[in-house]
Amino acid sequence: MKTTAFAIAAAVLGLAVAPAAAENWHVVSRSSATVFMLDVDSITESGNARAGVLARVPASGPADDLSYSAGQVTIRCSANQSKPGVEIIYGPDGAEQERIDDGYDFDTIARNSLDSYVKEMICDGQQSDQTFPSIRAFIEAGRPRAR
């Protein structure tokens, strides 16, 4: 019984942060080191919150290095609050290496922050003009800058 309960819990946890089967990654923001991308097909709503999967991809690197991290971010739209979920680290071969759950609670979203841009996409339906069917496609395309 414990084995079955553990397997079910592990499957639910995996579904909570795994990218949806159909992916539609939109560039949210970028710095010189990192490109932040949201899978808009992963957006779900539960109660007074919406959630989606946010990836952090190195802004430069070889096309065969598929390293990145992705985690669920939950937004309370009307309360202007966000909370990170479990973060998954993927290695150079694209395989999962580690899961990190820091157990953060909801916090106020600062103006002009990454979370404020994510909120515009998750809550207001804004979309980027730079989209990719997968993180792999973005990396293999040379991690292009905005057009």
Side-chain angles (χ1 to χ4, degrees), residues 33-95:
T34 307
V35 180
F36 302 93
M37 302 175 74
L38 179 71
D39 178 8
V40 298
D41 285 353
S42 74
I43 297 171
T44 59
E45 187 166 358
S46 178
N48 64 348
R50 293 184 182 173
V53 177
L54 180 69
R56 292 161 179 80
V57 184
S60 62
D64 63 347
D65 182 352
L66 303 175
S67 301
Y68 73 99
S69 66
Q72 185 173 11
V73 60
T74 303
I75 307 281
R76 289 179 177 160
C77 299
S78 60
N80 194 43
Q81 297 175 323
S82 66
K83 175 176 93 167
V86 174
E87 187 82 10
I88 302 174
I89 310 297
Y90 296 93
D93 62 354

Side-chain angles (χ1 to χ4, degrees), residues 66-147:
L66 303 175
S67 301
Y68 73 99
S69 66
Q72 185 173 11
V73 60
T74 303
I75 307 281
R76 289 179 177 160
C77 299
S78 60
N80 194 43
Q81 297 175 323
S82 66
K83 175 176 93 167
V86 174
E87 187 82 10
I88 302 174
I89 310 297
Y90 296 93
D93 62 354
E96 181 180 326
Q97 290 187 325
E98 181 180 6
R99 287 180 180 242
I100 302 167
D101 184 359
D102 292 325
Y104 291 111
D105 201 1
F106 282 95
D107 200 6
T108 300
I109 298 173
R111 291 184 63 196
N112 298 319
S113 66
L114 174 62
D115 282 0
S116 72
Y117 304 135
V118 171
K119 179 185 175 202
E120 290 174 353
M121 291 180 135
I122 289 180
C123 298
D124 303 332
Q126 291 188 11
Q127 296 192 1
S128 169
D129 61 353
Q130 195 173 17
T131 64
F132 297 87
S134 66
I135 297 296
R136 176 185 287 270
F138 171 75
I139 291 171
E140 290 178 346
R143 306 165 200 256
R145 297 195 64 77
R147 296 169 239 184

